[in-house]
Amino acid sequence: MSGHSKWATIKHRKGAADAKRGKLFAKLIKQVEVAARQGGGDLDSNPTLRTMYQKARDNSVPLDTIERAVKRGTGELEGVSYESISYEGYAPGGVALYIECLTDNRNRTGSEIRSTLTRNGGTLAEPGSVAWQFERKGVVLVPSSAADEDELMMLVLDAGAEDLADDGDMWRVVTPAGDLNAVRDALTAARITPQSADLTMLPTSSVAVTEPATARTVLKLMDMIDDLDDVQDVYSNFDIGDDIMEELAV
Protein backbone atom coordinates (compact mmCIF):
# COMPACT_ATOMS: atom_id res chain seq x y z
CA MET A 1 0.00 0.00 0.00
CA SER A 2 1.41 3.38 -0.97
CA GLY A 3 2.05 6.27 1.36
CA HIS A 4 -0.67 8.25 -0.40
CA SER A 5 -3.20 5.54 0.30
CA LYS A 6 -2.22 5.33 3.95
CA TRP A 7 -2.64 9.07 4.40
CA ALA A 8 -5.97 8.94 2.54
CA THR A 9 -7.12 6.22 4.92
CA ILE A 10 -6.03 8.25 7.93
CA LYS A 11 -7.89 11.29 6.61
CA HIS A 12 -10.99 9.22 5.87
CA ARG A 13 -11.14 7.89 9.43
CA LYS A 14 -10.47 11.36 10.79
CA GLY A 15 -13.20 12.81 8.59
CA ALA A 16 -16.07 11.69 10.80
CA ALA A 17 -14.67 13.64 13.75
CA ASP A 18 -14.03 16.68 11.56
CA ALA A 19 -17.60 16.62 10.31
CA LYS A 20 -18.92 16.71 13.87
CA ARG A 21 -16.90 19.87 14.54
CA GLY A 22 -17.98 21.40 11.26
CA LYS A 23 -14.40 21.73 9.99
CA LEU A 24 -14.79 19.29 7.13
CA PHE A 25 -18.09 20.87 6.10
CA ALA A 26 -16.49 24.32 6.07
CA LYS A 27 -13.66 23.14 3.82
CA LEU A 28 -16.00 21.41 1.39
CA ILE A 29 -18.35 24.39 1.19
CA LYS A 30 -15.41 26.68 0.45
CA GLN A 31 -14.28 24.37 -2.37
CA VAL A 32 -17.77 24.42 -3.90
CA GLU A 33 -17.94 28.20 -3.69
CA VAL A 34 -14.56 28.74 -5.32
CA ALA A 35 -15.29 26.22 -8.09
CA ALA A 36 -18.55 28.04 -8.90
CA ARG A 37 -16.78 31.42 -8.91
CA GLN A 38 -14.09 30.18 -11.29
CA GLY A 39 -16.22 28.21 -13.73
CA GLY A 40 -19.88 29.11 -13.22
CA GLY A 41 -22.72 27.40 -11.41
CA ASP A 42 -23.72 24.82 -14.05
CA LEU A 43 -22.64 21.32 -13.03
CA ASP A 44 -22.71 20.05 -16.61
CA SER A 45 -20.38 22.72 -17.98
CA ASN A 46 -18.14 23.03 -14.90
CA PRO A 47 -16.49 19.66 -14.17
CA THR A 48 -14.56 21.01 -11.19
CA LEU A 49 -17.78 22.22 -9.56
CA ARG A 50 -19.40 18.89 -10.29
CA THR A 51 -16.54 17.07 -8.56
CA MET A 52 -16.64 19.34 -5.51
CA TYR A 53 -20.45 19.25 -5.40
CA GLN A 54 -20.43 15.45 -5.37
CA LYS A 55 -17.62 15.36 -2.80
CA ALA A 56 -19.72 17.53 -0.50
CA ARG A 57 -22.76 15.31 -1.03
CA ASP A 58 -20.67 12.18 -0.34
CA ASN A 59 -19.71 13.69 3.00
CA SER A 60 -23.34 14.47 3.91
CA VAL A 61 -23.19 18.24 3.54
CA PRO A 62 -26.86 19.38 3.35
CA LEU A 63 -28.07 20.11 -0.17
CA ASP A 64 -29.35 23.60 0.66
CA THR A 65 -25.94 24.46 2.16
CA ILE A 66 -24.20 23.37 -1.03
CA GLU A 67 -26.63 25.31 -3.21
CA ARG A 68 -26.09 28.49 -1.18
CA ALA A 69 -22.33 28.03 -1.63
CA VAL A 70 -22.84 27.80 -5.40
CA LYS A 71 -24.90 30.98 -5.36
CA ARG A 72 -22.23 32.80 -3.34
CA GLY A 73 -19.70 31.67 -5.90
CA THR A 74 -21.75 32.93 -8.85
CA GLY A 75 -22.57 36.22 -7.12
CA GLU A 76 -26.28 35.54 -6.58
CA LEU A 77 -25.59 35.76 -2.84
CA GLU A 78 -22.99 37.89 -1.09
CA GLY A 79 -19.87 35.99 -0.07
CA VAL A 80 -16.17 36.24 0.76
CA SER A 81 -13.67 36.23 -2.09
CA TYR A 82 -11.18 33.40 -1.60
CA GLU A 83 -7.77 33.10 -3.25
CA SER A 84 -6.29 29.74 -4.20
CA ILE A 85 -2.67 29.41 -3.10
CA SER A 86 -0.27 26.52 -2.57
CA TYR A 87 2.74 26.11 -0.30
CA GLU A 88 5.62 23.69 -0.57
CA GLY A 89 7.81 22.35 2.18
CA TYR A 90 9.57 19.45 3.80
CA ALA A 91 8.76 17.36 6.86
CA PRO A 92 11.44 15.57 8.90
CA GLY A 93 13.24 12.82 7.00
CA GLY A 94 13.23 14.78 3.72
CA VAL A 95 9.53 14.07 3.12
CA ALA A 96 8.04 16.49 0.57
CA LEU A 97 4.81 18.35 1.37
CA TYR A 98 2.47 20.09 -1.07
CA ILE A 99 -0.22 22.16 0.67
CA GLU A 100 -3.28 23.61 -1.08
CA CYS A 101 -5.18 26.47 0.55
CA LEU A 102 -8.16 28.74 -0.04
CA THR A 103 -7.83 32.00 1.86
CA ASP A 104 -9.14 35.53 2.22
CA ASN A 105 -5.89 36.61 3.89
CA ARG A 106 -2.66 35.44 2.26
CA ASN A 107 -0.46 36.83 5.05
CA ARG A 108 -2.37 35.01 7.79
CA THR A 109 -2.30 31.71 5.92
CA GLY A 110 1.39 31.92 5.08
CA SER A 111 2.27 32.72 8.66
CA GLU A 112 0.24 29.77 9.98
CA ILE A 113 1.82 27.34 7.51
CA ARG A 114 5.36 28.53 8.24
CA SER A 115 4.82 28.44 12.02
CA THR A 116 3.32 24.95 11.96
CA LEU A 117 6.19 23.60 9.88
CA THR A 118 8.88 25.25 12.00
CA ARG A 119 7.44 24.09 15.33
CA ASN A 120 7.36 20.48 14.12
CA GLY A 121 10.76 20.09 12.51
CA GLY A 122 9.69 21.02 8.98
CA THR A 123 10.73 23.79 6.62
CA LEU A 124 9.00 25.97 4.06
CA ALA A 125 10.45 25.53 0.56
CA GLU A 126 10.70 27.81 -2.44
CA PRO A 127 7.82 27.66 -4.97
CA GLY A 128 8.44 24.93 -7.53
CA SER A 129 10.95 23.00 -5.47
CA VAL A 130 8.38 20.38 -4.44
CA ALA A 131 5.49 20.67 -6.90
CA TRP A 132 7.35 18.83 -9.66
CA GLN A 133 7.31 15.70 -7.49
CA PHE A 134 3.50 15.42 -7.73
CA GLU A 135 0.92 14.93 -10.48
CA ARG A 136 -2.75 15.95 -10.45
CA LYS A 137 -4.87 12.80 -10.74
CA GLY A 138 -8.35 11.54 -9.99
CA VAL A 139 -8.66 8.76 -7.40
CA VAL A 140 -11.79 6.64 -6.98
CA LEU A 141 -12.11 4.20 -4.10
CA VAL A 142 -14.46 1.25 -4.63
CA PRO A 143 -15.23 -1.32 -1.91
CA SER A 144 -13.66 -4.66 -2.85
CA SER A 145 -16.97 -6.39 -2.26
CA ALA A 146 -18.70 -4.20 -4.86
CA ALA A 147 -17.02 -5.61 -7.96
CA ASP A 148 -14.89 -8.40 -9.38
CA GLU A 149 -11.37 -7.27 -10.30
CA ASP A 150 -11.53 -8.29 -13.97
CA GLU A 151 -14.98 -6.76 -14.44
CA LEU A 152 -13.92 -3.55 -12.70
CA MET A 153 -10.67 -3.35 -14.66
CA MET A 154 -12.46 -3.53 -18.03
CA LEU A 155 -15.10 -1.02 -16.93
CA VAL A 156 -12.78 1.69 -15.62
CA LEU A 157 -10.17 1.36 -18.37
CA ASP A 158 -12.86 1.77 -21.01
CA ALA A 159 -14.00 4.93 -19.19
CA GLY A 160 -10.50 6.44 -19.22
CA ALA A 161 -8.81 5.18 -16.04
CA GLU A 162 -5.04 4.64 -15.97
CA ASP A 163 -4.64 2.10 -13.19
CA LEU A 164 -6.44 -0.19 -10.76
CA ALA A 165 -4.75 -1.26 -7.52
CA ASP A 166 -5.71 -3.44 -4.56
CA ASP A 167 -5.71 -1.43 -1.31
CA GLY A 168 -6.91 -4.22 0.97
CA ASP A 169 -10.64 -3.72 1.41
CA MET A 170 -10.73 -1.17 -1.42
CA TRP A 171 -9.97 -0.99 -5.11
CA ARG A 172 -8.10 2.22 -5.90
CA VAL A 173 -8.77 3.54 -9.40
CA VAL A 174 -6.41 6.24 -10.72
CA THR A 175 -7.55 8.46 -13.59
CA PRO A 176 -6.30 11.51 -15.47
CA ALA A 177 -7.73 14.56 -13.72
CA GLY A 178 -10.09 15.31 -16.60
CA ASP A 179 -11.54 11.78 -16.68
CA LEU A 180 -12.55 11.49 -13.02
CA ASN A 181 -16.24 12.24 -13.60
CA ALA A 182 -16.43 9.93 -16.63
CA VAL A 183 -15.06 7.02 -14.60
CA ARG A 184 -17.40 7.75 -11.73
CA ASP A 185 -20.36 7.93 -14.13
CA ALA A 186 -19.38 4.59 -15.66
CA LEU A 187 -19.30 2.97 -12.23
CA THR A 188 -22.66 4.45 -11.29
CA ALA A 189 -24.19 3.26 -14.57
CA ALA A 190 -22.93 -0.25 -13.75
CA ARG A 191 -24.59 0.03 -10.31
CA ILE A 192 -21.26 0.16 -8.53
CA THR A 193 -21.20 2.84 -5.83
CA PRO A 194 -17.76 4.37 -5.16
CA GLN A 195 -16.88 5.18 -1.59
CA SER A 196 -15.19 8.36 -2.78
CA ALA A 197 -14.04 10.09 -5.96
CA ASP A 198 -11.75 13.07 -5.71
CA LEU A 199 -9.00 15.04 -7.40
CA THR A 200 -5.68 14.68 -5.65
CA MET A 201 -1.93 15.08 -6.06
CA LEU A 202 -0.07 11.79 -6.35
CA PRO A 203 3.70 11.63 -5.77
CA THR A 204 5.83 10.52 -8.71
CA SER A 205 8.38 9.02 -6.30
CA SER A 206 8.47 8.27 -2.59
CA VAL A 207 10.74 8.78 0.40
CA ALA A 208 11.11 5.82 2.75
CA VAL A 209 10.56 6.61 6.44
CA THR A 210 12.04 3.75 8.44
CA GLU A 211 12.21 5.19 11.96
CA PRO A 212 8.96 5.04 14.00
CA ALA A 213 9.75 8.35 15.74
CA THR A 214 10.20 10.12 12.41
CA ALA A 215 7.05 8.52 11.03
CA ARG A 216 5.08 9.69 14.05
CA THR A 217 6.39 13.24 13.63
CA VAL A 218 5.58 13.30 9.90
CA LEU A 219 2.00 12.12 10.47
CA LYS A 220 1.51 14.55 13.35
CA LEU A 221 2.79 17.44 11.24
CA MET A 222 0.49 16.56 8.34
CA ASP A 223 -2.44 16.28 10.74
CA MET A 224 -1.69 19.71 12.24
CA ILE A 225 -1.40 21.31 8.79
CA ASP A 226 -4.61 19.64 7.64
CA ASP A 227 -6.41 21.07 10.68
CA LEU A 228 -5.61 24.69 9.73
CA ASP A 229 -8.79 26.46 8.61
CA ASP A 230 -7.41 27.70 5.29
CA VAL A 231 -5.84 24.37 4.28
CA GLN A 232 -7.91 22.32 1.87
CA ASP A 233 -5.50 19.42 1.34
CA VAL A 234 -1.97 18.41 2.23
CA TYR A 235 -0.11 15.86 0.10
CA SER A 236 3.09 13.99 0.79
CA ASN A 237 5.47 11.46 -0.76
CA PHE A 238 6.26 9.45 2.37
CA ASP A 239 6.47 5.66 2.29
CA ILE A 240 5.94 4.22 5.76
CA GLY A 241 6.01 0.43 6.07
CA ASP A 242 2.91 -1.43 7.23
CA ASP A 243 4.75 -2.67 10.33
CA ILE A 244 5.51 0.89 11.45
CA MET A 245 1.97 2.03 10.65
CA GLU A 246 0.61 -0.79 12.80
CA GLU A 247 3.00 0.15 15.61
CA LEU A 248 1.88 3.77 15.50
CA ALA A 249 -1.78 2.75 15.51
CA VAL A 250 -1.44 0.99 18.89
Side-chain angles (χ1 to χ4, degrees), residues 15-16 18-29 55 59 61:
D18 274 356
K20 291 177 183 178
R21 308 196 299 267
K23 294 194 67 135
L24 179 62
F25 277 21
K27 290 188 178 187
L28 295 172
I29 291 165
K55 182 178 177 182
N59 284 277
V61 178

Side-chain angles (χ1 to χ4, degrees), residues 118-193:
T118 302
R119 291 199 315 268
N120 294 275
T123 57
L124 196 63
E126 292 295 322
S129 60
V130 167
W132 64 272
Q133 302 179 58
F134 295 85
E135 291 180 324
R136 177 76 65 188
K137 297 289 183 180
V139 173
V140 184
L141 297 179
V142 178
S144 297
S145 58
D148 172 77
E149 180 177 9
D150 292 337
E151 172 193 3
L152 184 61
M153 176 75 79
M154 292 181 60
L155 177 65
V156 298
L157 290 181
D158 284 346
E162 294 178 337
D163 188 33
L164 174 68
D166 184 354
D167 270 358
D169 59 349
M170 291 282 169
W171 297 113
R172 174 165 47 94
V173 183
V174 178
T175 80
D179 291 328
L180 175 63
N181 287 321
V183 172
R184 181 179 186 130
D185 288 346
L187 290 168
T188 301
R191 298 184 178 180
I192 299 172
T193 303

Side-chain angles (χ1 to χ4, degrees), residues 14-76:
K14 175 175 170 290
D18 274 356
K20 291 177 183 178
R21 308 196 299 267
K23 294 194 67 135
L24 179 62
F25 277 21
K27 290 188 178 187
L28 295 172
I29 291 165
K30 192 184 291 187
Q31 290 174 358
V32 170
E33 186 173 335
V34 170
R37 179 173 291 112
Q38 293 177 342
D42 184 359
L43 296 180
D44 291 331
S45 62
N46 185 346
T48 301
L49 175 61
R50 182 181 173 193
T51 298
M52 299 309 173
Y53 186 103
Q54 189 60 54
K55 182 178 177 182
R57 293 294 292 148
D58 289 344
N59 284 277
S60 303
V61 178
L63 183 59
D64 61 337
T65 301
I66 300 173
E67 291 176 343
R68 284 198 301 273
V70 173
K71 289 180 179 179
R72 287 195 299 271
T74 58
E76 295 177 64

